[in-house]
Amino acid sequence: MANSMSNVVIGRRQILRELKKNNIAEIIIAVDAEASYISSLIEVAKLAGVAYKLNGTMNEISARYNIDVPSGAVGILK
């Protein structure tokens, strides 16, 4: 799995932007993100035909991808 910041986008807004460009390979969603946030990302992932998984907490995702603040989701770029 990619750990480089050049291979990920952070947060729903950036994920949605890159989905429109067909640039997202997978979405990683924090299990402790708000339920509405999780469900909205799952819905757009399904509509776009992009793989997604709930994996880790917001703090764990931030540490894994060297993000300074807790993050609810990252999109792995193609």
Side-chain angles (χ1 to χ4, degrees):
M1 187 178 312
N3 276 355
S4 170
M5 286 302 296
S6 63
N7 292 333
V8 300
V9 291
I10 304 162
R12 179 172 46 201
R13 190 174 305 158
Q14 289 186 33
I15 290 169
L16 293 175
R17 186 179 310 129
E18 293 301 323
L19 276 173
K20 288 179 183 178
K21 298 178 194 175
N22 195 32
N23 287 340
I24 299 288
E26 181 179 29
I27 301 171
I28 310 297
I29 307 167
V31 297
D32 62 344
E34 288 187 25
S36 61
Y37 184 86
I38 292 171
S39 62
S40 69
L41 283 172
I42 290 173
E43 183 178 337
V44 296
K46 287 179 178 179
L47 288 172
V50 171
Y52 68 89
K53 62 182 169 183
L54 276 76
N55 187 348
T57 65
M58 292 171 62
N59 287 331
E60 290 168 345
I61 287 174
S62 297
R64 188 179 313 142
Y65 295 99
N66 300 316
I67 303 166
D68 293 333
V69 296
S71 180
V74 294
I76 309 299
L77 298 173
K78 291 181 178 177

